[in-house]
Amino acid sequence: MEIKYIKGDATEPIIHEGKYSVICHCCNAIGAWGKGFVVPLGKKYPRAKERYFEFIKASNKDNRLGSVSFAKVADNIIVANIIGQYDIYPKNGKIPLDYEALEKGFKFIIEMFQMHRMPLTIHMPKIGCGLAGGDWNRVENIIKNTFISSNIEVYVYLL
């Protein structure tokens, strides 16, 4: 199985009968929502934004990285707010994306859906590689070592 790259909008995932379409995106740990992919995501699915802020308010800032808050936004669509970056922009040459936190979040998604016996497909933009400054080759390898190695279909949307 390989990652499927398709032209389109990740806020409108492909729907597979009998499976949840999980929209994954990378959030920061500081409680900021307002730039990048979250703008159209929050407009289309306000519940995803609400869940992010509820999670930020209820959690300890020091333990957020690698966590995931879920928002069911339609019968068959769930948004996974992955706390994979500690800040928004690179500072002093250091990118805010935390690759280990992103991987931890991916693994948590797999565990949760397997535990509840919920079949899923994964949908995302080039997660962590916009404002968070990540290297897509590294992120792609994490996707392959988590979702793909677990036989989960992954769709990466390119606008």
Side-chain angles (χ1 to χ4, degrees):
M1 187 177 294
E2 292 292 322
I3 298 170
K4 296 168 182 75
Y5 290 90
I6 59 174
K7 287 191 179 198
D9 181 352
T11 67
E12 297 186 19
I14 296 167
I15 304 299
H16 295 269
E17 187 73 28
K19 292 184 178 182
Y20 283 96
S21 294
V22 179
I23 301 171
C24 295
H25 72 112
C26 192
C27 297
N28 62 71
I30 63 171
W33 180 293
K35 294 203 183 288
F37 179 69
V38 299
V39 174
L41 182 71
K43 283 182 183 172
K44 182 156 183 136
Y45 304 116
R47 184 69 184 129
K49 182 177 179 179
E50 290 168 14
R51 286 290 298 133
Y52 169 73
F53 285 115
E54 288 168 3
F55 176 79
I56 291 295
K57 186 176 179 181
S59 64
N60 179 326
K61 184 179 179 184
D62 296 330
N63 297 325
R64 290 182 186 146
L65 282 175
S67 299
V68 180
S69 74
F70 295 99
K72 187 171 183 185
V73 297
D75 284 342
N76 51 3
I77 301 174
I78 295 174
V79 173
N81 297 317
I82 303 165
I83 311 298
Q85 58 192 81
Y86 59 87
D87 205 336
I88 303 169
Y89 301 106
K91 290 181 183 163
N92 302 322
K94 184 168 171 30
I95 65 167
L97 179 66
D98 184 313
Y99 294 104
E100 289 177 12
L102 190 62
E103 183 172 4
K104 182 179 175 186
F106 289 171
K107 288 178 178 178
F108 182 74
I109 292 166
I110 293 167
E111 288 172 19
M112 290 303 294
F113 278 80
Q114 286 177 344
M115 183 172 68
H116 294 289
R117 298 188 191 326
M118 298 168 63
L120 76 155
T121 56
I122 298 293
H123 306 265
M124 65 178 73
K126 281 192 168 181
I127 190 170
C129 296
L131 297 173
D135 173 2
W136 180 249
N137 290 326
R138 285 186 70 182
V139 173
E140 187 180 54
N141 282 330
I142 295 168
I143 292 168
K144 289 177 181 176
N145 291 331
T146 55
F147 295 123
I148 299 298
S149 70
S150 296
N151 291 315
I152 297 170
E153 287 181 87
V154 176
Y155 297 85
V156 173
Y157 293 75
L158 310 169
L159 283 175

